[in-house]
Amino acid sequence: MSVGKEQACNYCGESMGVFEHRYSDGPLSCGSKECARAEREEYLQRQDEAAEHARKDGYGRYGGR
């Protein structure tokens, strides 16, 4: 049985304890207002970049070319 390692917020660095399993691919946020806002802005930026790359590759919003 593996023991989880201590995790820290990716935005402020505050320790958040030990997690056994982590199901999220994205950055880890402690949930404070500032960190949650930074996490949301980063998420929206990744979504915009993905949509732009899809448009450049010729894919529309609803799939297909």
Side-chain angles (χ1 to χ4, degrees):
M1 176 154 209
S2 68
V3 176
K5 69 176 198 171
E6 189 164 342
Q7 299 287 316
C9 175
N10 286 15
Y11 300 97
C12 69
E14 185 167 327
S15 175
M16 297 180 359
V18 177
F19 293 99
E20 189 74 27
H21 301 286
R22 183 170 168 215
Y23 298 105
S24 174
D25 297 7
L28 193 61
S29 169
C30 67
S32 70
K33 275 186 182 180
E34 295 82 14
C35 294
R37 184 181 0 241
E39 181 179 28
R40 179 73 179 154
E41 288 172 1
E42 188 175 305
Y43 170 79
L44 292 174
Q45 182 179 5
R46 285 194 315 263
Q47 293 298 320
D48 289 344
E49 289 171 1
E52 182 62 30
H53 287 294
R55 279 192 294 276
K56 285 181 181 178
D57 289 342
Y59 289 93
R61 180 176 180 151
Y62 299 105
R65 290 184 175 253

